[in-house]
Amino acid sequence: MTDLDTAIENVDTSTRSSLSAGAATSAAGIQPFIEPVAMEDDPDELFAGDRGVLDADVRRVLVHVLQRRFLLADRHREQWTLLLDNQGLIESRLNDLFVRLIIDHDRGVAYKQQVRSDEFDVPILLRDSPYSRAETLVLVHLRTVYQRETAAGEPSARVDIEDVEQTVLSYFAESDGDTARRQRAIRKALDRLDRDGIVDEESAGRFRISPLVEIVLSAEKLRELRDWLRAQQSLPDLDDADATDTDETDTDATGIDDETTVEDAAP
């Protein structure tokens, strides 16, 4: 027998052994080959060309933080837990974009903040989106009510839309249009503040004020706005709940411009 014949016989023997082993494996209910994994089921790649290292759920939380102004513990319980469990990773990704993550555990709120520096050039990613005059006037009333109720020991502060309208309407000037137009502006302002999580409409026309109002409108900024409104002779006599306030909320997150608008804490 030639060397070639010997080689062929060895190949045939190896092939027969492999086929026999495969048949035995199949008979035992075990697949001899690995089934191909669909791309969307591949744990190491969520999409074609994916080079990310975060799990899908953590990525969704990161996107939520980037898309929304605030992430609230009571509204987004699952995402809040994921955020705290992966805080270092999410902070790292945001810092790569010159964005800072702020987590207020006492109030149960997380938001982002643009990093700014005089020492080196920082590209600005977050766009400032100030509240309108009507939204600011509503905020002044909500912050005053919240401060008064918490100072009285109430566990939560609530307002009715009629109460908001009655008070805030007195803030407007004659040039702001008729009563119907002002009421529409107030209701529109409440709608936006509801979306931002500053108020929560528990029932028709009944709102619970979120602790978030303290972050958006600090006690210091509230005093500035109330003083400005008094100077315009458009603020009715109200109890100065902030007269002895010692709130040390960070005021860098809010601002007041020439049109008395308050910048969002998380633009």
Side-chain angles (χ1 to χ4, degrees):
M1 180 181 295
T2 64
D3 293 339
L4 178 60
D5 293 334
T6 302
I8 292 174
E9 183 177 356
N10 290 337
V11 170
D12 290 341
T13 301
S14 176
T15 302
R16 287 195 297 269
S17 299
S18 298
L19 291 174
S20 297
T25 302
S26 299
I30 303 174
Q31 294 298 327
F33 300 104
I34 299 176
E35 291 291 337
V37 178
M39 181 184 69
E40 59 271 18
D41 297 329
D42 189 344
D44 296 327
E45 186 173 276
L46 297 179
F47 52 86
D50 180 21
R51 294 297 179 266
V53 298
L54 300 181
D55 292 339
D57 289 340
V58 180
R59 297 189 197 192
R60 293 187 185 97
V61 174
L62 175 60
V63 172
H64 183 110
V65 172
L66 286 169
Q67 285 182 331
R68 307 286 185 88
R69 297 180 185 279
F70 309 102
L71 191 152
L72 305 175
D74 58 349
R75 284 194 181 187
H76 315 103
R77 296 183 184 277
E78 183 178 350
Q79 289 135 313
W80 180 262
T81 300
L82 282 169
L83 176 66
L84 297 185
D85 290 344
N86 300 274
Q87 181 177 342
L89 289 172
I90 294 176
E91 281 183 327
S92 175
R93 296 300 179 273
L94 291 174
N95 291 165
D96 286 340
L97 302 174
F98 297 103
V99 174
R100 184 181 294 111
L101 176 67
I102 309 296
I103 299 180
D104 189 325
H105 294 275
D106 294 334
R107 297 185 177 93
V109 58
Y111 57 93
K112 58 190 177 296
Q113 190 178 76
Q114 178 68 59
V115 173
R116 301 177 187 275
S117 175
D118 295 330
E119 299 178 0
F120 59 93
D121 180 42
V122 176
I124 303 302
L125 176 67
L126 303 183
R127 178 178 58 87
D128 288 336
S129 180
Y131 284 118
S132 68
R133 185 171 185 271
E135 291 161 352
T136 303
L137 294 176
V138 172
L139 271 172
V140 169
H141 177 61
L142 295 176
R143 182 67 167 88
T144 301
V145 172
Y146 182 87
Q147 195 163 279
R148 183 179 65 234
E149 295 299 306
T150 53
E154 295 294 332
S156 59
R158 291 175 172 80
V159 292
D160 294 314
I161 192 169
E162 292 82 8
D163 172 53
V164 177
E165 287 181 347
Q166 180 180 1
T167 303
V168 177
L169 281 173
S170 63
Y171 296 171
F172 284 93
E174 292 297 329
S175 59
D176 291 320
D178 57 21
T179 300
R181 180 179 178 182
R182 299 175 193 175
Q183 286 178 321
R184 288 195 298 271
I186 292 171
R187 291 174 182 263
K188 185 177 179 181
L190 278 171
D191 287 342
R192 178 183 176 182
L193 298 179
D194 189 5
R195 292 194 303 270
D196 285 353
I198 296 172
V199 294
D200 181 23
E201 189 170 14
E202 297 180 322
S203 59
R206 180 72 169 172
F207 296 88
R208 180 179 65 85
I209 306 174
S210 166
L212 192 59
V213 73
E214 288 187 311
I215 295 177
V216 175
L217 190 59
S218 67
E220 179 182 348
K221 199 60 61 180
L222 175 64
R223 285 191 290 268
E224 290 181 18
L225 284 169
R226 288 169 64 87
D227 289 344
W228 185 89
L229 288 170
R230 285 195 181 93
Q232 304 302 310
Q233 297 181 345
S234 60
L235 182 64
D237 292 334
L238 296 174
D239 294 335
D240 279 335
D242 59 313
T244 59
D245 188 278
T246 58
D247 190 323
E248 296 182 355
T249 302
D250 183 8
T251 58
D252 290 340
T254 59
I256 176 173
D257 63 15
D258 293 337
E259 297 181 356
T260 71
T261 58
V262 179
E263 294 180 4
D264 295 332

